[in-house]
Amino acid sequence: MNRVLELQDITKVFHLGSMISRLRITAVDHVSFHVGSAEIFGLAGESGCGKTTIARMILGFEEPTSGQIIYRKKDGTPVTGKEVWRTAGVQAVFQNPFETFNPLRQVERYFFEAVHNFRLASSHSEAVARINKALEAVGLSYKEIAGRYPAEFSGGQLQRVSIARSLLTEPSLLIADEPVSMVDASIRMSIMNLFRELVEKFGVSVLYITHDLATAYYVCDRIAIMLRGNIVAMGDVEKVLVKPRHPYVELLRECIPETDPRKRWAAKVQLAESEQEEYLRAGCKFAGRCPHVMERCQRESPKDILVDGVLVKCFLYS
């Protein structure tokens, strides 16, 4: 499988507080993964695990403290550093479409601006044709958006408009950060199906960032589960989520509701420490909540181990 995006040992450290009493928070801790050609790769975990920080580094909003991010253009040319987000081949779809667009600006202006900035057309009619083609890919048309403002669309429609805008440059990689968390449940599956169609019809690769394991299982090919800056499990989505190897993934899996009255919640859940405490914890970041915790978990950080095709960071398999 050709690799469109590759993260090599990425670390991001933030310093909080005053110069006298500064806290060092490692938001992303030596993370490595790749996104293949025409693949939907999921990056999942609870709030504060570091997944959005990774997206921000890929898009150039944050600089990695160490490590390298490599994007490969359609011709295979590698691009690193700030050049990654400057290329037309990498585009983003964000969580809230109503924050993506200025409410006082007509939506079509964003499309014409992108066409102009990337020199995608030499005339107005050619620009309209290009915009219409992108909109048709998401089930809309230029006539449906012309002259309209963001408030005149539903959340699902506006998210489709946002995806269409990202398709104008014919990218090879979409960074989708929680793209369905702000839309109605009835619309989520249609957007998930849209991502799958983009992969199958146009060969687009997608880095799908989410806290929702149900949608991740539905749409992703492979997945990485993050906990406090670490990837604790990574592999084929079926292997990672259906038969969890890591205790944290098992906990997340049990939190997904099932429509079976016989399967009522019976387990006693250990509440998490504060986000800051877990980040600063020595050893395994899940030790404070893990039902299988051992003495060494409190002082040592586990290594990655391959278990039945799944990369797992846990002492249970060492």
Side-chain angles (χ1 to χ4, degrees):
M1 178 188 292
N2 294 327
R3 298 185 175 189
V4 175
L5 179 72
E6 192 169 358
L7 274 67
Q8 298 178 348
D9 205 29
I10 291 293
T11 294
K12 179 62 181 179
V13 177
F14 291 103
H15 294 91
L16 307 177
S18 65
M19 292 297 293
I20 298 174
S21 58
R22 299 188 83 187
L23 280 177
R24 186 177 185 274
I25 301 291
T26 304
V28 178
D29 192 5
H30 298 286
V31 164
S32 298
F33 66 83
H34 72 271
V35 181
S37 178
E39 176 188 44
I40 300 180
F41 181 87
L43 192 60
E46 61 193 2
S47 297
C49 70
K51 56 188 188 295
T52 294
T53 300
I54 287 178
R56 290 177 60 83
M57 286 191 286
I58 295 170
L59 294 170
F61 301 144
E62 298 281 356
E63 285 278 348
T65 303
S66 63
Q68 192 172 37
I69 298 172
I70 302 172
Y71 164 71
R72 287 181 173 81
K73 297 181 179 180
K74 291 182 179 179
D75 62 2
T77 305
V79 178
T80 60
K82 291 184 178 180
E83 295 302 316
V84 173
W85 66 269
R86 287 174 181 164
T87 177
V90 179
Q91 296 293 322
V93 179
F94 297 107
Q95 180 177 8
N96 189 346
F98 290 100
E99 292 181 355
T100 300
F101 300 98
N102 186 329
L104 302 178
R105 194 180 188 200
Q106 291 178 344
V107 166
E108 65 182 298
R109 302 315 308 163
Y110 289 90
F111 284 82
F112 283 109
E113 189 176 82
V115 169
H116 173 75
N117 290 342
F118 288 102
R119 300 177 182 178
L120 302 176
S122 57
S123 66
H124 180 76
S125 59
E126 188 178 340
V128 170
R130 180 111 186 190
I131 293 168
N132 191 63
K133 180 182 177 182
L135 286 162
E136 285 180 342
V138 301
L140 297 170
S141 69
Y142 176 70
K143 288 183 179 180
E144 292 178 84
I145 72 161
R148 298 176 66 184
Y149 291 88
E152 297 180 72
F153 297 90
S154 68
Q157 284 178 318
L158 199 59
Q159 192 64 296
R160 284 176 174 267
V161 170
S162 180
I163 295 170
R165 187 182 66 158
S166 71
L167 296 176
L168 274 176
T169 61
E170 298 181 353
S172 55
L173 176 66
L174 286 181
I175 310 296
D177 189 2
E178 301 278 12
V180 296
S181 63
M182 298 295 290
V183 300
D184 293 340
S186 60
I187 306 298
R188 289 179 188 175
M189 286 304 102
S190 65
I191 294 179
M192 292 293 94
N193 289 334
L194 173 58
F195 281 125
R196 179 53 63 188
E197 288 172 13
L198 294 176
V199 170
E200 294 173 355
K201 290 182 180 179
F202 305 105
V204 177
S205 299
V206 180
L207 175 58
Y208 177 62
I209 298 171
T210 185
H211 67 274
D212 186 347
L213 292 189
T215 59
Y217 178 74
Y218 179 78
V219 76
C220 294
D221 300 302
R222 292 185 302 122
I223 192 170
I225 306 295
M226 289 194 71
L227 170 68
R228 300 300 183 238
N230 295 275
I231 289 180
V232 296
M234 179 167 60
D236 180 85
V237 69
E238 190 84 20
K239 291 182 178 180
V240 172
L241 296 182
V242 175
K243 293 183 179 180
R245 272 76 175 176
H246 195 282
Y248 174 64
V249 184
E250 186 176 355
L251 175 64
L252 293 178
R253 175 70 177 81
E254 290 174 353
C255 290
I256 299 175
E258 295 185 49
T259 55
D260 187 343
R262 295 170 297 177
K263 296 182 179 179
R264 295 182 179 181
W265 186 270
K268 187 175 181 180
V269 179
Q270 175 69 37
L271 295 179
E273 301 166 288
S274 73
E275 184 176 321
Q276 182 174 298
E277 287 175 325
E278 282 199 332
Y279 267 116
L280 295 175
R281 166 183 283 279
C284 177
K285 304 300 182 185
F286 191 55
R289 290 186 275 169
C290 183
H292 309 290
V293 64
M294 297 175 280
E295 191 275 333
R296 67 184 303 191
C297 302
Q298 305 283 1
R299 52 184 172 79
E300 297 178 41
S301 180
K303 304 296 183 183
D304 293 332
I305 300 173
L306 195 63
V307 182
D308 298 329
V310 175
L311 204 63
V312 183
K313 187 184 289 292
C314 186
F315 284 124
L316 287 175
Y317 303 97
S318 62

